Amino acid sequence: MESMTPLKRKQWDRALTFALFTLPALAAILISVEIPFLMSVFSSFTKWNGLDKAQTFIGLENYKELFLDDLDMWKAFGFTLRLTLGSVIVVNLCALLLAVLLDSDIRGKNALRAAFYVPNIVSLIIIGYIWRFIFSAGFESFFQASGLDFFMLSWLGDVNLVYFSVLMVSVWHSLGFYLVIYIAGLQTVPRDLIEASMIDGAGRLVRFFRITLPLIMSSITVSVFHSLSNGLKAFDVIFSLTNGGPGNSTTTIALDIYRTAFVINRFGYGTAKSVVLFLMILILSIFQVRLFKSREVEV
Amino acid sequence: MKKYTPASTITTLVLSLVAIFYLYPLFLVVINSFKTFSEITSNVLALPTSLVLENFSNAFRIMNYPQYFLNTLLATAVGVSGVVLVSSMAGYKLSRTKTRYSFVMFMVLIAPMMIPFHSFMISLVKVAKELHLIGSPLGLGVLYWGLGASLALFMYHGAVKSVPQELDDCALIDGAGPLRAFFQIIFPLLQPVTVSVIVINTMWMWNDFLLPLLVLSGSKKSLTLQLAAYNFFGLYKVDWNFAMAGVLLTILPAVIFYLSLQRYIIKGMVAGAVKT
Amino acid sequence: MKKMLFVVLAVLLAFGPLFAAGQQEQKAGPVTLNVLFYSPELAEQYNDMVAAYKAETGVTLDITVLQTDYRSVLTSRLNSGDVPDIFMSSAYADNSTYKDYVYDLTNEDFIKKIEPSALQGVTVDGKILGYPFLVQSHSFIYNKKVFADNGITTLPKTLADFEAVSKKLQANGVQPFATGFKEFWVLPQTAWQAIANVPAENYGGYENFVAKLNAGELKFKDIPQMSQLFDLLDLIKTYGGPKPNESDFNDQTSSLATGKVAMIHQGNWAEDSIRKTNPEVQIGFLVGPTGNTAATAGIMFDSNQTIRIAKDSKNLDAALAWLRWLTTSEYGRNWIPGKVKQLSPIIGAAAPDSQIAKETSALLASGTPGYPWFYQMFPTGTEQQLGAILQGYCAGITNRAQTLDALDSAYAKIAKAAQ
């Protein structure tokens, strides 16, 4: 150690500190996610039903089939993209708006924040059951009470309407989650900056767009990234609300993968699909994160 | 002190109305938890004719509530503390280090958010078995570190930007090692994010279903509340009255936890620190 | 610098005890069998049986009951080596799915006490790879009071009969069917019954039929009788109320129990839910129409739910002892008819106190065909995939020709992958 130059010593120290701070997270993530995933990736090059003790290596056959001969998967992907686009936009706009309102000086803030958050606490299996009740028995009662045709439409059975039903339930459930992130972000905005701008005579909207928004860009990045990934991975909402139906019209790609691996017992093929899904999410996310991070501002 | 403008009162009223509609589905869970099975199946929307408290006592008993509550608490507590610890450190360091390696590592560490759970869950169970993390809530909590770290890290990474870099150097100049500097000076300033990370992770870990199902189902004494509540939901027959009561018993601790944490997000903490 | 190293070591050391703590091996003592079952609707009955077995033998059965996630949990446990001693599956195609894990029961003494007809679903190349758990039947269940109140005295047997009955009910303001179409599994069980006689009559039996489909020699679009399958689905949908695609199992059982609808397509397992909703209800069993030939209309009667013993179980003898007890002991023989209230595969078992089970026996005794659940012979995974395609037909997504093509291509893919 004594033979190092001061500069080298400093670099070594810096590297060690860096390692100290980041290795625990790296170890945890490797163990819980990345190593298991790589193990699965190996399966994607095999023909395996997930149970047989022997796995047969078949190279890129699964990937070939996936790209050339699986219309159902690409239909599922198309639906997933539509659903994700809708949910990312709607949930982020609503959560941000609500966060701003619930961060300002109004009465009953805490109660309201809790109210909008609670649906996120309940697991999606139960959410699915409850909403199914509402769409069927509930709507029937509402129809009898109000006579509005709106309630007699088949919101879960009609192929043209089911997209909106799924979107609505998904947003309803996840709004609270992003609300938490946005409120936290709003609260890291230094109050003295806001006060200074008020002294300078800036109006509400100007304050929001010029000061607040750039400073909470990091929250927006996180939320958009998370809702984007979650949207593309959407499984629980669909599984409990429609089970991919009617027919396969609301089957998302995650549901398709689940079925391929566990229902049809084509485990190797299913893993290949999930590798492709991961790569698609990765590409979209790198693009999105780069774009948003460049707009983040440091104090 | 606080001046509530007329506009703000109207806002409160409008939002309250929205909130009432918003919570209607959960209101249904509550009223149905007090009904008998046939009352529920004949009309889900009706108010209960009498309060069937036996649903709760039965659900409580069938679900083995005290034991499973402790299991869920242990897994969640271990999971959340681990996540906060490892993610705050890593998020902070990666945000301050602006090299290409740092960006690559950042992407490697948040990549798990993009991987669908089903695609690696079987391998995860294998790995967990090798590391002897199966069959106990403690082991489950350890597995949660890697699963929750990515999002938390992402959040810390961004939040650190609102803490001025001068503070880092100030702390170091005072003679503290980097770890102490971080935990004593920087970490407290990230309180809103820490609280959010705690809330978010507590909620999903408390309600998590699939991973506990995979690693705990071999050991009856280790189950969590969600697993117990789920048993009321069959494919053919749902014990609706117990299921609704069970659901409420499961989410109630989480709601109470959330409400009590709300008070700890204190505004102006950051402003105070900067003014030094 | 040194301080940092200390901290790092401390953190790493902190992991150690945690790993050790997770390593709680089971202490040696009385045997506990680890069991993974589905059918959570039978949870109470499982518990009852476990208590009885423990009282008699001191052996504990630790049963985990799942439903929708059952397959993924079983797969992951079998994979990771955390094999349950006893588990459950379907018969027929699942014999090959789990072939690397099941114990061969052919030479066990208690197997001789099981009805041979119940064993056909678990026998492969002369080896018996599973233990038939229940004998079940499915067809159309009807509410006797609703029929009586609407003046329906002759029970329908053909498509034309069913249509006439439905028209009459509809005219009186009663919804004839609760479709159950939201559940992907209701569609296959409803639909395949409509051609249940075809494989035996035209294709040399069920095994030949399935073998030809698997080899690609036969396609669904080449089977002319598929039209009667679509006709039946159309009929149920037309007379299935305003939201036929949203009706699920819960809707079916509660609507039938309260008399809101007259008929549902379900099996004897539905009886418990129906009677729980309305304890006074009187239900009966109708045959499923096979086009317009009354003689071939029958019910689907088979043993599909199967108990399997893990070959690598560390408690193999204890597991076999349990099955023996289930088959031969006083409690065991009476468990399925008496507590589970379904038909038992054990020779000479009592008849259960179940309206549907009674009707099933009566129908079979009077010569009504009882068809095996031949669609369970299709490769694993077809039930869900073909069910979803049929569901799409009912939702109007595909027409008959497109549906047939979709059925053929989905089947071909699964069959190819299963080889």
Side-chain angles (χ1 to χ4, degrees), chain A residues 143-241:
Chain A
F143 175 70
Q144 278 161 10
S146 68
L148 290 171
D149 272 336
F150 178 83
F151 294 114
M152 266 337 256
L153 297 172
S154 183
W155 285 96
L156 290 181
D158 184 330
V159 180
N160 299 314
L161 297 174
V162 72
Y163 170 82
F164 296 102
S165 315
V166 173
L167 182 63
M168 189 267 287
V169 175
S170 171
V171 169
W172 178 82
H173 179 258
S174 54
L175 186 71
F177 183 87
Y178 300 105
L179 190 62
V180 170
I181 298 183
Y182 282 124
I183 289 181
L186 285 171
Q187 297 191 325
T188 57
V189 173
R191 282 292 161 216
D192 49 347
L193 277 182
I194 305 266
E195 278 157 27
S197 73
M198 276 168 76
I199 290 172
D200 283 346
R204 253 227 175 111
L205 279 178
V206 172
R207 277 209 310 271
F208 180 75
F209 282 102
R210 283 284 176 81
I211 301 180
T212 314
L213 203 58
L215 284 173
I216 60 165
M217 206 57 195
S218 63
S219 303
I220 300 182
T221 309
V222 173
S223 289
V224 172
F225 176 73
H226 191 271
S227 51
L228 181 67
S229 297
N230 258 29
L232 292 168
K233 293 189 295 183
F235 178 84
D236 291 315
V237 177
I238 303 284
F239 195 68
S240 56
L241 199 61

Side-chain angles (χ1 to χ4, degrees), chain B residues 46-63:
Chain B
L47 288 172
T49 50
S50 61
L51 295 179
V52 182
L53 293 174
E54 289 80 45
N55 288 341
F56 288 94
S57 51
N58 278 328
F60 191 89
R61 180 184 45 85
I62 298 174
M63 282 168 73

Side-chain angles (χ1 to χ4, degrees), chain A residues 32 34 36 40 110 114-115 117 121 129-130 172 175 177 184 187 222 225 233 274 281 293 296 298-299, chain B residues 22-23 29 44-45 98 108 113-114 119 123-124 143 154 157 161 196 200 203 207 233 247 259 262 265:
Chain A
S32 290
E34 289 174 343
S40 298
N110 284 335
Y117 186 71
I121 299 179
Y129 274 109
I130 299 180
W172 178 82
L175 186 71
F177 183 87
Q187 297 191 325
V222 173
F225 176 73
K233 293 189 295 183
S274 56
I281 301 180
K293 280 258 173 226
E296 281 180 27
E298 277 200 70
V299 169
Chain B
Y22 204 76
L23 290 177
V29 174
V44 178
L45 303 176
K98 300 191 204 304
V108 165
M113 283 168 67
M114 305 181 250
S119 64
S123 308
L124 175 59
L143 289 174
F154 202 138
H157 191 274
K161 291 191 197 211
S196 312
I200 288 174
M203 291 307 144
N207 283 303
F233 290 90
V247 165
L259 288 176
Q262 285 238 60
I265 306 183

Side-chain angles (χ1 to χ4, degrees), chain A residues 227-276:
Chain A
S227 51
L228 181 67
S229 297
N230 258 29
L232 292 168
K233 293 189 295 183
F235 178 84
D236 291 315
V237 177
I238 303 284
F239 195 68
S240 56
L241 199 61
T242 62
N243 200 12
N248 279 322
S249 55
T250 60
T251 301
T252 55
I253 194 163
L255 184 58
D256 181 69
I257 290 173
Y258 176 85
R259 285 190 185 146
T260 308
F262 295 106
V263 175
I264 311 180
N265 283 344
R266 293 190 67 189
F267 203 80
Y269 186 48
T271 320
K273 285 188 186 180
S274 56
V275 169
V276 171

Side-chain angles (χ1 to χ4, degrees), chain C residues 16-36:
Chain C
L18 284 175
F19 286 165
Q23 213 173 37
Q24 309 225 329
E25 297 301 328
Q26 294 221 332
K27 314 174 284 242
V31 177
T32 302
L33 288 170
N34 197 289
V35 184
L36 193 64

Side-chain angles (χ1 to χ4, degrees), chain B residues 29 32-33 55-56 59 63 240-250:
Chain B
V29 174
N32 280 298
S33 65
N55 288 341
F56 288 94
M63 282 168 73
W240 291 109
N241 46 342
F242 297 151
M244 295 293 119
V247 165
L248 278 187
L249 287 174
T250 311

Side-chain angles (χ1 to χ4, degrees), chain C residues 38-338:
Chain C
Y38 47 90
S39 292
E41 68 273 10
L42 299 177
E44 264 172 54
Q45 290 89 337
Y46 290 144
N47 287 336
D48 209 275
M49 181 269 291
V50 168
Y53 193 58
K54 180 144 196 201
E56 277 189 42
T57 63
V59 173
T60 310
L61 284 157
D62 187 2
I63 306 186
T64 306
V65 187
L66 302 170
Q67 188 69 59
T68 33
D69 296 285
Y70 180 82
R71 287 192 88 101
S72 57
V73 172
L74 180 63
T75 304
S76 106
R77 284 186 61 179
L78 290 175
N79 249 294
S80 68
D82 186 16
V83 176
D85 298 310
I86 305 170
F87 59 97
M88 223 178 233
S89 79
S90 296
Y92 297 110
D94 270 352
N95 293 326
S96 75
T97 309
Y98 297 106
K99 65 181 187 318
D100 284 346
Y101 295 93
V102 297
Y103 179 76
D104 183 352
L105 295 166
T106 319
N107 297 321
E108 297 298 321
D109 49 315
F110 52 82
I111 286 288
K112 302 181 181 33
K113 303 212 187 308
I114 305 289
E115 289 279 1
S117 57
L119 288 172
Q120 61 186 14
V122 291
T123 312
V124 177
D125 294 334
K127 294 207 204 106
I128 298 174
L129 300 175
Y131 179 95
F133 175 47
L134 295 169
V135 180
Q136 297 172 311
S137 53
H138 68 77
S139 189
F140 285 94
I141 304 179
Y142 73 101
N143 184 321
K144 288 188 174 169
K145 185 168 187 296
V146 174
F147 265 36
D149 287 349
N150 287 279
I152 300 168
T153 46
T154 5
L155 298 178
K157 285 196 183 168
T158 65
L159 272 176
D161 291 343
F162 272 89
E163 183 152 18
V165 164
S166 304
K167 280 208 171 98
K168 196 169 187 187
L169 288 162
Q170 190 111 307
N172 289 355
V174 175
Q175 182 177 320
F177 294 101
T179 66
F181 285 170
K182 192 165 201 294
E183 314 276 12
F184 73 84
W185 50 271
V186 171
L187 278 151
Q189 79 182 25
T190 311
W192 297 120
Q193 186 174 358
I195 60 162
N197 58 321
V198 170
E201 279 175 24
N202 301 15
Y203 297 98
Y206 295 105
E207 284 187 21
N208 277 352
F209 178 67
V210 175
K212 286 202 168 79
L213 282 171
N214 285 349
E217 289 166 21
L218 178 63
K219 294 207 187 296
F220 290 115
K221 65 174 185 243
D222 302 326
I223 304 175
Q225 293 90 346
M226 287 299 282
S227 61
Q228 60 200 40
L229 185 155
F230 288 122
D231 286 339
L232 180 61
L233 292 179
D234 284 344
L235 181 72
I236 300 176
K237 185 179 167 192
T238 313
Y239 293 100
K243 297 189 194 178
N245 292 310
E246 286 191 38
S247 165
D248 58 11
F249 178 78
N250 193 58
D251 175 55
Q252 286 186 301
T253 52
S254 56
S255 304
L256 188 76
T258 55
K260 184 173 159 224
V261 304
M263 300 176 273
I264 60 175
H265 188 112
Q266 270 305 334
N268 62 306
W269 54 82
E271 178 160 349
D272 194 42
S273 295
I274 300 173
R275 284 169 78 172
K276 217 175 171 192
T277 309
N278 176 4
E280 323 289 314
V281 73
Q282 295 294 315
I283 48 180
F285 227 14
L286 298 168
V287 294
T290 49
N292 281 314
T293 320
T296 51
I299 59 174
M300 304 299 280
F301 180 74
D302 207 339
S303 173
N304 185 44
Q305 212 159 332
T306 307
I307 295 176
R308 302 200 192 254
I309 306 282
K311 165 169 91 176
D312 298 323
S313 158
K314 296 184 181 61
N315 300 308
L316 193 54
D317 290 326
L320 291 169
W322 172 69
L323 270 186
R324 188 170 298 114
W325 173 84
L326 200 65
T327 322
T328 55
S329 75
E330 172 96 39
Y331 183 98
R333 289 173 55 91
N334 194 46
W335 183 52
I336 294 185

